[in-house]
Amino acid sequence: MTGASALAMAAAPQAAMAQDAMTAASDAEEDNVIIVTGIRASLQAAADIKRDAQGVVDAISAEDIGKFPDTNLAESLQRITGVSIDRNSGEGSTVTVRGFGPDFNLVLLNGRQMPASGLGGCCEAPASRSFDFANLASEGVAAVEVYKSGRASLPTGGIGSVINIRTPRPLDRPGLQGSVAAKAVKDHTFDGTKITPELSGIVSSTFADDTIGVLLSGSYQRRKASLAQFNAGWREGYLGDENNWGSLGYGPNVENRPDATDTYQIPQNAGYDFTDIDRERFNGQAVLQVAPSDQINATIDYTFSQNTIDARTNSIGVWFNHGDTQSSWTDGPSAGPNFYAEAFGPGKDLAITGAVAANRSINHSLGGNIEWEHPSGMRWELDAHHSTAESKPTSPYGSNIAVGSAIFGVESQAIDFTSDMPVISANMYPGSEIDASNIRPAGNAFRNAYMRNRINEISLKGGYDFDAGFIESLDFGVTYTENKVRSAYGFIQNDTWGGTLTADETPDDLFTINNLPEDLSGMNGANDPSIIPSYFQVDTAGLINLLDSQIGICAGTGAGPGTCLADYTIDRTVNEKTLAPFIQSTHAFDLLAGEAHLRLGMRYEETTINSRAQVPVPTSTAWVGANEIAINYSDNGDFTRLKGSYDNWLPAIDFDMTPIDNVKLRAAYSHTITRPRYDLLQGGLTLAAPIRPDGGTTASAGNPGLLPYKSKNIDASAEWYYDTASYVSVGYFRKKVSNFPVTGVTEGPLYGLTNPAQGRGGELIAEAAAALPAGSNFDEQLAYVAANYPSVIDPVTGGILGQSGDPLVNFRLSQPFNGDRTATLDGWEFAIQHNFWDTGFGAILNYTIVNSDTFYDNTLRYTETQFAITGVSDSANAVLFYDKGPLQARIAYNWRDGFLSGYDTDPYYIESYGQFDASASYEFIPGLTGFVEGINITNADRKGHRRNDQSVFFAAPGYARYAAGVRLNF
């Protein structure tokens, strides 16, 4: 067992994975062969899977996962050719394979489709199908297989890939074996050094002449970390010849104004966020396996994971009114700001925000499997599982909140975008210094999201192995899957952004001043002398309690007193039922230097969808801010039910041959599908809030009749296995995808809602502006209207109510349907894995090129409809390792090129990113190993922009994370 990782005792459940250590040792003694363990053994196991597979498959064995300095499976998966990851809170969360993002990759656990849940973004019901790998620790996993080419026997849902997570089985490792490990983790924190624990253990034992096996594994991880980030919101991509509110004016205050045909975006708001994270993760597994004879093998397994994240965010930032502005711009055709500044009269706010969120994701999977292999060559397998994934808040405030405060005294503000970290500066009027004594509470929002995914699945498979002839085997089967998803969302929003309590009525001790440059340090610009010097650590819970007791900000929730959990106004359920039979034959025949293999398969899938939704019913509007009209809703919602169905024939053909010794050529053709996001399938009509006074207000509805994305795939590769655990490979792939949902837009009024800004409210605000001193702001004008025309004031929001005679709001209603758009992605994968003879040194290099025939044109105005595949980027990995005797060491570099991460009316780009990780271990005595690990040891930063490189929407300094621990194998 020398050099084995925490999982080596219960490694892979298939012979293709690592050999049984005890058997290998005895064979070695007889043959006088040196047994290789640890990193090199795991790489050999992964190479064996790649070489022996039919189709394009890459894998990581247990030793690989255990030996990488990675916090979870996603961090390990990024080492595979063609796999990139997205990070959340500094940890790997979701994967992109060959340019297709998280929603296009299906995750299995022991061959079973897994449910997925999450709470999504801030302001809508969760809808993603993507699996969050942050929920899983690596200690309870034997291997991960990434199927890049389609096959008829696999569940569908992954155009990018199907990722199968395999957990250990006790009968694969006879006898009593186990491992325990303890680790201390040091992460970056604002408040001193904090060490957090990680504990893991696995024990496996067999009984009754190795016919009964029991395995238990578990892990506990806690992480405390601090993250800093610049964030900015941007207005739409205008053309240079426009001159309306929110766009650039003409005159000397604009340097190098974009030309008439250039596009540009203006910042709407910007701020610095400082987040303290406390993440706690539990994983556990229990397996009972019985093999009463050589023909029968039965398994019952249960897998559990719980991931709780408590995040506390403190922010300080600015909003622009686009009045008395100054700016400087880069050259077009898509121009970006060098700086953007604005001056104000008295009363402009410096936004100070506190947020508290504690959210938990829990996964359960209970499954059973029985296999029967008859000596005649007949095989049967029955498998069933019940699995759930649930995500919900654990705090009394909701899943995502923002409790606003402000100092109302900004004289001027500016953002300099020429440094890596954009620099926000603010000059305050005398008496409005950045001090706790000047802070007043303002508006707030409490958002409450929930998601639960349940999958019940049963599968019956059979097969027959032929003794001789052209047909090697015939496999067939049928799977029934019921996938039920509930997604809910509600919010409480108090649009009192002009302030509520006075500064004197707000205790100063709710706000603790912190040094902003010190906590933001790490990127060029963070220590600029003009940057906002301070931010405040907000006692958010104390502030909520104060405001609720004084002005009832959480009143009216069904959850009762002491909570701000908003009632669900959107509650949607999607129920997918799929029946999927398949048949495939495997053929073997001699060709050139070796045996060639041909696999022919066909899968048929029939899916029915039932969608049920509760949505809120709007009743009125209220003009609450210069650019915001709130929507008021009735206490009762409305339910809708919609249905849809579709079927697909999905062929899969794989061929491989060995033209010369140790060289393998492959070719594959297949059809695969990915089902649409749940929000596209869900019924119900949702209005975007707030309504904008000058138009552009949107609404949306789903369509359960949407067909899935369908891809026609071609794969080809050549592999040369020139030495033990050493190979060179090159592969080409091409995916032509159709059935992309497109959005049909209709315009018109909805629910009879009116626009007070364009009616009676606009007249009253104009009257107020004329009556008040020059330069009055909207809040002052609204106070004038409230004092002189109280009957038009909404008692709930304090805004001006829409009147029956006001113009109707013109909504742009969007609804998806399958269009005729297609996209083709193709690319190349290059890989080399080399061991430098018996020196102990080795290297892994891979590079993936991904091309798309779609792209986003930054030079088109925001109103132009565009279509582009997101997530498409090149990627590379380089690993140097040493594994000899008691010492193992590894340094790894992972790089991903910049890519389009998403778009609404304008694009979002993530800039290229590279990260170094390192690890080392030393076995002091047989079975006792000490190890150290480092993640992002060079403090690599991350950044994203909109149409121009300087239109930055986020910038985050990177921080290293270190760990040290011991592992005991027995």
Side-chain angles (χ1 to χ4, degrees):
M1 306 305 296
T2 303
S5 74
L7 285 174
M9 275 56 58
Q14 295 183 8
M17 300 303 291
Q19 293 178 327
D20 182 275
M22 302 300 292
T23 302
S26 62
D27 291 345
E29 292 174 2
E30 295 174 4
D31 299 336
N32 195 28
V33 175
I34 297 174
I35 295 300
V36 179
T37 61
I39 295 175
R40 286 187 292 168
S42 66
L43 295 178
Q44 177 65 60
D48 288 344
I49 291 178
K50 182 181 183 71
R51 182 175 188 170
D52 298 337
Q54 287 186 265
V56 183
V57 182
D58 282 300
I60 304 177
S61 70
E63 292 90 341
D64 255 347
I65 295 174
K67 292 301 182 182
F68 273 128
D70 302 326
T71 59
N72 56 40
L73 296 180
E75 299 281 353
S76 297
L77 282 168
Q78 70 175 330
R79 316 296 178 189
I80 289 178
T81 311
V83 179
S84 305
I85 69 171
D86 295 310
R87 289 178 171 86
N88 186 14
S89 302
E91 291 187 275
S93 177
T94 55
V95 301
T96 294
V97 181
R98 291 179 163 181
F100 284 96
D103 282 319
F104 290 86
N105 295 286
L106 180 68
V107 176
L108 313 178
L109 181 67
N110 298 316
R112 304 160 180 160
Q113 182 177 339
M114 281 294 98
S117 66
L119 296 180
C122 76
C123 310
E124 59 188 2
S128 177
R129 293 180 184 264
S130 64
F131 186 86
D132 188 351
F133 286 91
N135 293 329
L136 294 180
S138 62
E139 286 81 1
V141 176
V144 180
E145 303 159 335
V146 180
Y147 294 87
K148 298 178 180 178
S149 59
R151 59 175 59 184
S153 59
L154 283 177
T156 60
I159 284 178
S161 70
V162 174
I163 300 171
N164 185 32
I165 302 169
R166 297 211 330 260
T167 57
R169 295 291 183 258
L171 294 187
D172 294 324
R173 294 285 183 173
L176 175 63
Q177 301 178 59
S179 172
V180 292
K183 182 192 300 184
V185 180
K186 178 186 177 297
D187 215 324
H188 170 80
T189 53
F190 297 141
D191 186 17
T193 300
K194 296 180 181 179
I195 305 297
T196 55
E198 294 190 8
L199 305 171
S200 64
I202 182 171
V203 60
S204 173
S205 184
T206 58
F207 315 92
D209 296 326
D210 298 330
T211 61
I212 300 175
V214 175
L215 181 144
L216 298 173
S217 69
S219 68
Y220 170 80
Q221 298 180 355
R222 190 169 188 186
R223 178 190 176 210
K224 291 188 176 182
S226 298
L227 307 172
Q229 183 164 304
F230 165 87
N231 290 294
W234 293 83
R235 293 194 61 79
E236 300 85 350
Y238 295 118
L239 292 176
D241 60 359
E242 297 183 60
N243 184 16
N244 46 49
W245 187 86
S247 65
L248 288 175
Y250 290 88
N253 288 344
V254 182
E255 180 183 334
N256 194 29
R257 192 185 194 282
D259 292 338
T261 58
D262 291 343
T263 58
Y264 67 94
Q265 290 182 262
I266 287 180
Q268 179 63 64
N269 59 281
Y272 299 117
D273 295 342
F274 300 88
T275 303
D276 292 307
I277 294 172
D278 188 349
R279 193 263 290 155
E280 193 173 46
R281 182 169 65 196
F282 294 90
N283 278 199
Q285 185 183 39
V287 182
L288 172 64
Q289 192 173 14
V290 179
S293 71
D294 293 339
Q295 300 179 22
I296 298 176
N297 191 323
T299 305
I300 297 175
D301 57 89
Y302 171 72
T303 303
F304 168 82
S305 70
Q306 176 179 292
N307 193 26
T308 303
I309 298 181
D310 186 343
R312 300 173 183 270
T313 300
N314 300 285
S315 307
I316 190 165
V318 297
W319 286 75
F320 290 95
N321 291 344
H322 310 297
D324 183 8
T325 63
Q326 290 185 316
S327 60
S328 171
W329 296 84
T330 68
D331 293 334
S334 184
N338 295 311
F339 77 89
Y340 188 81
E342 186 171 8
F344 309 94
K348 177 63 176 66
D349 61 312
L350 177 68
I352 297 164
T353 306
V356 177
N359 298 322
R360 176 173 293 162
S361 293
I362 300 177
N363 296 269
H364 300 272
S365 181
L366 176 63
N369 178 281
I370 184 167
E371 298 176 341
W372 177 48
E373 295 189 9
H374 194 269
S376 65
M378 195 69 193
R379 295 173 279 107
W380 289 99
E381 180 182 359
L382 178 65
D383 188 277
H385 75 102
H386 168 77
S387 302
T388 61
E390 183 180 45
S391 298
K392 60 183 179 181
T394 59
S395 85
Y397 311 119
S399 55
N400 185 290
I401 71 171
V403 182
S405 302
I407 298 175
F408 291 91
V410 177
E411 184 175 9
S412 64
Q413 62 192 35
I415 309 175
D416 182 347
F417 292 98
T418 59
S419 56
D420 291 337
M421 172 63 70
V423 177
I424 305 174
S425 57
N427 296 315
M428 310 300 291
Y429 277 101
S432 299
E433 292 78 13
I434 301 177
D435 186 83
S437 62
N438 292 319
I439 299 176
R440 294 180 58 195
N444 45 74
F446 300 87
R447 306 169 183 110
N448 185 23
Y450 173 83
M451 185 175 185
R452 187 176 190 271
N453 187 188
R454 184 202 71 194
I455 293 181
N456 291 325
E457 187 174 64
I458 185 168
S459 175
L460 177 64
K461 298 179 181 179
Y464 186 80
D465 297 324
F466 295 86
D467 292 334
F470 177 66
I471 300 180
E472 191 173 64
S473 66
L474 180 67
D475 294 273
F476 49 88
V478 61
T479 300
Y480 174 78
T481 306
E482 182 183 17
N483 178 28
K484 186 175 183 179
V485 178
R486 183 189 175 199
S487 177
Y489 175 76
F491 69 94
I492 303 168
Q493 181 158 319
N494 298 290
D495 294 305
T496 51
W497 306 110
T500 55
L501 305 181
T502 66
D504 291 339
E505 294 171 326
T506 307
D508 293 351
D509 61 6
L510 293 174
F511 307 92
T512 302
I513 198 164
N514 284 28
N515 185 299
L516 188 147
E518 180 178 314
D519 289 349
L520 191 64
S521 63
M523 295 180 71
N524 176 38
N527 291 310
D528 190 289
S530 64
I531 201 169
I532 295 175
S534 307
Y535 75 99
F536 294 90
Q537 184 173 335
V538 183
D539 179 1
T540 306
L543 182 58
I544 292 171
N545 292 334
L546 172 69
L547 295 175
D548 198 28
S549 65
Q550 295 296 312
I551 58 177
I553 61 171
C554 299
T557 65
T563 177
C564 294
L565 285 175
D567 299 331
Y568 296 140
T569 53
I570 298 174
D571 199 343
R572 299 165 171 166
T573 300
V574 171
N575 196 354
E576 292 178 337
K577 297 180 180 179
T578 299
L579 185 67
F582 79 92
I583 186 170
Q584 69 180 22
S585 61
T586 303
H587 308 266
F589 50 94
D590 292 331
L591 183 64
L592 298 180
E595 192 174 58
H597 302 92
L598 175 66
R599 184 171 59 201
L600 306 173
M602 178 66 74
R603 186 181 185 91
Y604 173 76
E605 293 210 347
E606 183 179 76
T607 300
T608 60
I609 301 172
N610 286 278
S611 176
R612 179 178 183 271
Q614 177 191 18
V615 293
V617 177
T619 56
S620 63
T621 57
W623 192 10
V624 296
N627 194 37
E628 295 184 356
I629 297 175
I631 304 174
N632 295 322
Y633 294 92
S634 68
D635 294 333
N636 299 316
D638 185 29
F639 283 90
T640 60
R641 292 179 183 269
L642 297 171
K643 294 184 178 182
S645 65
Y646 55 83
D647 60 4
N648 284 280
W649 293 93
L650 304 171
I653 303 171
D654 294 299
F655 173 76
D656 66 69
M657 61 178 292
T658 304
I660 59 176
D661 289 342
N662 299 316
V663 172
K664 179 159 283 191
L665 303 180
R666 304 181 191 273
Y669 177 79
S670 63
H671 292 187
T672 52
I673 63 172
T674 287
R675 294 176 174 84
R677 286 169 51 96
Y678 296 119
D679 57 336
L680 299 180
L681 301 176
Q682 293 165 340
L685 180 64
T686 303
L687 307 184
I691 295 171
R692 298 303 181 189
D694 57 352
T697 303
T698 62
S700 61
N703 177 9
L706 277 179
L707 300 177
Y709 304 87
K710 189 170 186 177
S711 178
K712 297 179 180 179
N713 315 300
I714 296 175
D715 292 272
S717 68
E719 302 152 15
W720 176 32
Y721 298 87
Y722 58 88
D723 202 352
T724 303
S726 297
Y727 68 87
V728 176
S729 70
V730 57
Y732 173 78
F733 62 90
R734 183 177 185 272
K735 298 175 180 290
K736 185 173 183 179
V737 186
S738 58
N739 289 345
F740 280 94
V742 297
T743 302
V745 178
T746 57
E747 296 194 19
L750 292 172
Y751 298 102
L753 296 179
T754 59
N755 187 334
Q758 296 180 1
R760 178 61 173 159
E763 297 171 355
L764 295 177
I765 288 294
E767 177 185 320
L772 294 172
S776 63
N777 59 38
F778 179 85
D779 293 327
E780 294 167 336
Q781 295 161 9
L782 181 59
Y784 173 92
V785 174
N788 293 277
Y789 302 93
S791 62
V792 303
I793 298 299
D794 179 16
V796 177
T797 64
I800 301 174
L801 279 168
Q803 306 296 312
S804 59
D806 292 342
L808 293 171
V809 176
N810 184 55
F811 287 92
R812 302 181 76 245
L813 174 61
S814 303
Q815 190 167 22
F817 63 92
N818 292 108
D820 56 3
R821 289 174 174 169
T822 63
T824 299
L825 270 68
D826 69 344
W828 295 85
E829 294 179 337
F830 304 94
I832 180 170
Q833 180 173 296
H834 182 71
N835 282 278
F836 294 97
W837 308 286
D838 61 351
T839 65
F841 284 99
I844 304 170
L845 302 171
N846 61 58
Y847 193 95
T848 303
I849 299 172
V850 185
N851 302 304
S852 171
D853 64 351
T854 67
F855 70 98
Y856 196 96
D857 188 346
N858 294 330
T859 67
L860 297 180
R861 191 176 188 268
Y862 75 95
T863 52
E864 297 288 336
T865 300
Q866 298 203 51
F867 169 64
I869 301 297
T870 60
V872 176
S873 66
D874 297 350
S875 61
N877 288 282
V879 180
L880 177 67
F881 64 86
Y882 177 83
D883 179 6
K884 191 171 185 180
L887 177 64
Q888 296 183 37
R890 184 197 315 262
I891 184 166
Y893 177 73
N894 174 263
W895 171 83
R896 185 178 185 184
D897 201 3
F899 61 96
L900 175 69
S901 64
Y903 58 91
D904 39 37
T905 57
D906 299 277
Y908 296 83
Y909 295 97
I910 303 297
E911 298 184 5
S912 60
Y913 176 81
Q915 175 174 307
F916 281 97
D917 303 325
S919 66
S921 66
Y922 188 86
E923 189 171 35
F924 298 101
I925 59 175
L928 180 63
T929 302
F931 58 88
V932 292
E933 302 171 349
I935 296 175
N936 193 20
I937 58 177
T938 58
N939 299 313
D941 307 319
R942 299 180 67 245
K943 194 173 180 181
H945 63 266
R946 304 299 296 268
R947 290 175 180 259
N948 182 279
D949 290 350
Q950 291 188 181
S951 300
V952 178
F953 75 90
F954 89 94
Y959 310 112
R961 181 161 71 253
Y962 297 99
V966 294
R967 178 181 298 114
L968 176 64
N969 299 335
F970 57 89

